[in-house]
Amino acid sequence: MKLAELTWMDVEVLSRDVVVLIPTGSLEQHGPHLPLFTDSLIATAVAQGVEQAIPEQVLLTPTLWLGASGHHLKFPGSLSADFDTYMGAIGSVVQSLLPHGFRRFYVLNGHGGNTSPNDMAMRKLKALYPEGTFAHSGYFAFCEQAIAHTLEGPLKGMRHACEAEASLMLHLHPNLVRKEKLRDDGLIAEPPVKGPVHHFDEITEQGSFGYATFASAEKGRTIFEAAVAGATEELRTIATGYVLRGLEPAQESTR
Ligand SMILES: [Zn+2]
């Protein structure tokens, strides 16, 4: 079910076993070839695919599109929330629904910069409401194998406006891809030290990271279908209830 299309009376009678699905994206530079809204468009499409697959088990909210994108702000047009504001938005959605009995929440993310604050937001909520189920993942976690098998460029994982992301956009929104501007960019060797936090103007020339010139709509379809299937399975498992194991006291030894 899509929250935005329901009335409050529809919501009142919903099962409280549904998982509230909150997609998170961004509006930030994606190199010369992909639009600023790329992460939000992909996260929305994956989340809608999940909702279509198991509509009775999911309550899909609109995508929270203002991401934690401070590392892209050197490129004009990128918009960012500071971390507290960003986490506050997620907490506000959850805390609006908790008093009405909803207790399962899942943030499905489309932007790497949101990963840490999503985790922090969920941990804060779990501390406040220990009985609730709070979970989060990037859609990219569900299609890692499809990405590794599908990509033809030197990088076999998801980066930024890369072969995988450009392929997803060629599949989902081909009219928004500047095909003549597809570009390979980004550091080609690991940085010599592990610790530093880098902004994208420091590690790329024009904002993308990866081998977007290898992108194709066909690869995008493969990756997209894997992401929807994996995320659907994840949400279905939470909706139907799962059991944590390993907490029972060890059997008395017969010694
Ligand atoms: Zn992206």
Side-chain angles (χ1 to χ4, degrees):
M1 292 154 289
K2 293 179 176 170
L3 179 62
E5 296 179 3
L6 302 180
T7 67
W8 73 264
M9 290 185 181
D10 296 331
V11 175
E12 190 171 45
V13 297
L14 286 181
S15 163
R16 269 40 177 178
D17 289 339
V18 296
V19 184
V20 179
L21 177 57
I22 307 166
T24 55
S26 76
L27 193 156
E28 68 183 25
Q29 73 82 17
H30 272 71
H33 47 263
L34 296 183
L36 296 161
F37 215 43
T38 291
D39 293 340
S40 296
L41 291 170
I42 297 174
T44 301
V46 175
Q48 287 177 344
V50 173
E51 190 275 336
Q52 280 168 17
I54 48 171
E56 300 305 317
Q57 293 172 313
V58 162
L59 181 60
L60 174 64
T61 75
T63 299
L64 296 182
W65 63 265
L66 183 60
S69 299
H71 49 306
H72 291 284
L73 285 176
K74 278 283 171 65
F75 297 88
S78 302
L79 306 182
S80 180
D82 65 71
F83 288 112
D84 287 338
T85 303
Y86 175 81
M87 292 188 289
I90 294 173
S92 298
V93 171
V94 171
Q95 287 177 304
S96 300
L97 289 168
L98 275 166
H100 294 286
F102 296 95
R103 62 190 192 282
R104 293 168 168 169
F105 299 89
Y106 199 100
V107 174
L108 184 65
N109 182 32
H111 164 48
N114 295 342
T115 303
S116 293
N118 282 352
D119 188 58
M120 182 79 87
M122 292 288 100
R123 286 174 185 280
K124 282 178 148 182
L125 288 161
K126 181 68 176 173
L128 288 171
Y129 309 100
E131 304 305 316
T133 299
F134 303 96
H136 71 97
S137 175
Y139 75 81
F140 18 86
F142 301 112
C143 48
E144 277 178 353
Q145 285 193 345
I147 289 173
H149 292 149
T150 307
L151 299 194
E152 293 174 292
L155 268 174
K156 302 301 181 191
M158 174 75 83
R159 292 297 190 277
H160 181 73
C162 55
E163 183 181 356
E165 211 171 28
S167 294
L168 283 164
M169 286 298 284
L170 284 168
H171 169 57
L172 294 169
H173 297 282
N175 55 322
L176 295 179
V177 179
R178 278 53 164 186
K179 298 175 192 69
E180 70 289 355
K181 292 190 173 170
L182 284 166
R183 177 186 165 87
D184 301 334
D185 194 353
L187 289 181
I188 55 170
E190 286 292 310
V193 287
K194 293 294 180 200
V197 174
H198 291 113
H199 284 186
F200 264 67
D201 53 294
E202 299 174 302
I203 57 173
T204 71
E205 288 187 348
Q206 294 187 13
S208 65
F209 197 133
Y211 293 84
T213 58
F214 289 86
S216 76
E218 184 58 27
K219 293 175 191 172
R221 188 168 66 87
T222 301
I223 295 168
F224 179 72
E225 289 175 355
V228 171
T232 298
E233 196 48 42
E234 176 103 333
L235 271 288
R236 193 202 313 272
T237 301
I238 292 178
T240 52
Y242 64 96
V243 179
L244 294 175
R245 299 190 189 283
L247 296 179
E248 288 178 21
Q251 292 283 329
E252 280 288 319
S253 105
T254 51
R255 210 154 20 104

